[in-house]
Amino acid sequence: MEKLLVVGGRPLEGKIVIGGAKNAALPAMAAALLTDEPVILENVPRVRDISTLRLLLEELGVDSSFQHNAKGNRLTIQARKLRQPRAPYELVKTMRASVLVLGPLVARFRRAEVSLPGGCAIGERPINLHLKGLRKLGATTRIVHGYVEARAKRLKGARFRFDRISVTGTANLLMAAALADGETLLENAACEPEITDLAELLTKMGARISGAGTETLRIKGVSRLRGARHRIIPDRIEAGTYLAAAGITRGHLILQRCRPDHMRAVIEKFREMGLEIKIRGRTSLEVKGPRRLQASDLTTREYPGFATDMQAQYMALATQADGTSVITETIFEKRFMHALEMLRMGADVTLEGRSAIVRGPTPLSGAKVLASDLRASASLVLAGLAAQGETLIDRVYHIDRGYDRIEEKLSQVGAKIRRVSTSPA
Ligand code: EPU
C-alpha cells in the first residue's frame, strides 16, 4: 500500500509547471468515439483517471497510444469500429466519468450499456439528467442488472433544459447532439472551461456548435465527424491547489502554463485571504503567502463561481486563517470527509448540514490520516505541509487519480514529501 509522508513547516519556493486538465481530457477522449479517424490530444495529464478511461476504450475495441516527450504528453485515439458497447461495472465503479462514453456510443453506434456508478465518497452522483436528455434526443433507456441500456436509431435534435447544471451531463449531450439529425438546444448547460474545450475539439472535428461557455448551447447535428488534433487546457484545479500550497506555507511560487482567466473566482477568494497573487501574462501566476491569513466565508458554485473541486483545499487554508470561515457546499452537499481528518490534525471545524464552520488559526500537528477522495487527499497534503511533524496520508491512490506526480512537483519547490510503501495492515 502506498502512502504519502509529508513533513510540514517549510515555505515552498520556486516554479511549478501545470499539467493538462483531467476533466477536459476525459470528455475529449470520449469524443474520439464519435469518429473513425484518429483524434490526437496533446497536454494530456499522466494521471490514473486517464489510464482508466483508456482501459475502458480498449474494452470497447478502440486503439490508443500514449507518447511522452519534453513538450508534453500526447494521446492518440482511433475508434475505427466497436468490439462491444459495454462499460463494465469494474471500471465505472472506480471512475464515475466513465459515463462520458454513453452519449458518443449511442450517437455513433446506436447502442450503449454502461454500468450505473452507485454511491461515492463525495455524495450522490446520479445520472438521471444524462438519461433524460438522451431520451429527449430519441433514445430509449432501461436499467437491467445494474446497467443502463440505451438504444436509438439516429438521434434527433431536440430542446432540452437541465433541471440542474451538470458538467458531464452537458458533455454527454453535447457529444450526442453533434451527430444527431437536426438542431439541439441545451439550456441551463454547464459553462465550465472544460465544456468550452470540448466544444472546441468537437468543432475541429466538424461539429456545428454555438454558445459554448454560456448556459445555452445550440448544436446543428452533422452526419459524420472527422479526426482532429487538439491541445487540452491547463488544469485550473491543479493550479489552484498549488496556489493554496504557497498560501499555507507562506511560500513564493510561480505557476507556469496555467490559465489565470479560468481561475478568477479562486484568485479573488485567495486574495481576500491575504495571498498576494500577480497575473503574469496569459499563462503564468506568481503567488506569495502572507504572514497571516484572513478568514473569509465561501460558497461553492458552478463556473464561473468557486469550484467545489477547490473546497477541500480552501478548508485547509481556512484552518490557518485569523477568524471564522463558513464554507458552504452547494454542489455536493456531503463533500466534507476531509474535515473529519483535519480535526485529527488539530483543526477546529464544525459541520452543520451543508456548511463547515472553521475557526482559525489552530496549529496543526502531523497525524496518520485517510484520503477519502481526490480533492480531500490534496487538502490533507496541504494540511500536512502546514503541520508540525509528520503526516502520513493513506489511500494515496485517490490523489493519483487527478494529480500528476504531486510529490515530485512539491519536492522540487522545497517540500519534504515522499511516497512510502508499507505492507498492508
Ligand atoms: N446531478 C444530478 N443528476 C445528474 C447529474 C448530476 O442530480 O444526472 C447533480 C449531482 O449529484 C451534483 C450536481 O448535479 O449534485 C453537479 O454534478 P455534475 O454532474 O456537474 O458533476 P460531474 O459531472 O459528475 C464533474 C467533475 C467533478 C466536479 C463536478 C462539479 C468531471 C469528470 N468531474 O462531475 O470533478 O466536482 O463536475 O464541478 O468533470 C474531481 O475532479 O475531483 C471531480 C469530482
Side-chain angles (χ1 to χ4, degrees), residues 14-15 58 69-70 73 94 110 124 132 137-138 187 240 245 312 319 339 360 367 380 382 395-397 409 425:
K15 291 182 183 155
E58 240 167 60
N69 62 31
N73 310 314
T94 67
R110 317 283 194 243
E124 279 177 58
K132 196 171 166 188
L137 295 179
E187 293 171 346
T319 67
L380 295 176
L382 295 175
R395 301 204 182 152
V396 55
Y397 54 83
K409 290 190 182 186

Side-chain angles (χ1 to χ4, degrees), residues 90-157:
E90 290 64 32
L91 288 172
V92 180
K93 76 171 183 199
T94 67
M95 187 184 68
R96 254 138 269 270
S98 309
V99 74
L100 283 165
V101 300
L102 182 61
L105 284 178
V106 180
R108 181 162 157 227
F109 299 100
R110 317 283 194 243
R111 238 183 101 196
E113 291 168 25
V114 176
S115 169
L116 280 172
C120 164
I122 66 176
E124 279 177 58
R125 309 273 304 263
I127 58 162
N128 57 315
L129 300 173
H130 303 230
L131 301 182
K132 196 171 166 188
L134 280 175
R135 286 196 294 270
K136 202 72 199 273
L137 295 179
T140 55
T141 66
R142 57 178 199 148
I143 312 285
V144 193
H145 305 306
Y147 282 71
V148 174
E149 280 185 17
R151 282 166 198 266
K153 298 214 175 75
R154 184 164 178 211
L155 293 173
K156 280 204 165 41

Side-chain angles (χ1 to χ4, degrees), residues 42-106:
E42 278 153 7
N43 203 30
V44 172
R46 276 191 294 173
V47 298
R48 203 165 56 103
D49 275 7
I50 299 294
S51 334
T52 306
L53 187 53
R54 269 188 80 194
L55 275 180
L56 172 51
L57 292 176
E58 240 167 60
E59 285 269 322
L60 299 173
V62 171
D63 298 324
S64 71
S65 66
F66 194 83
Q67 283 172 304
H68 170 67
N69 62 31
K71 278 181 136 185
N73 310 314
R74 173 190 294 174
L75 178 61
T76 305
I77 303 175
Q78 187 164 14
R80 283 192 193 87
K81 54 185 185 317
L82 203 66
R83 187 163 55 227
Q84 48 97 4
R86 188 174 170 91
Y89 175 69
E90 290 64 32
L91 288 172
V92 180
K93 76 171 183 199
T94 67
M95 187 184 68
R96 254 138 269 270
S98 309
V99 74
L100 283 165
V101 300
L102 182 61
L105 284 178
V106 180

Side-chain angles (χ1 to χ4, degrees), residues 158-160 162 170-171 173-175 177 183-191 195-196 198-199 208-220:
R159 179 170 162 254
F160 178 70
F162 286 90
T170 301
L173 294 185
L174 180 58
M175 292 188 279
E183 185 172 292
T184 297
L185 207 57
L186 298 178
E187 293 171 346
N188 201 27
C191 304
I195 295 292
T196 309
L198 172 64
R208 296 169 66 199
I209 300 167
S210 61
T214 75
E215 61 183 39
T216 306
L217 290 166
R218 189 181 292 273
I219 306 116
K220 290 192 174 128

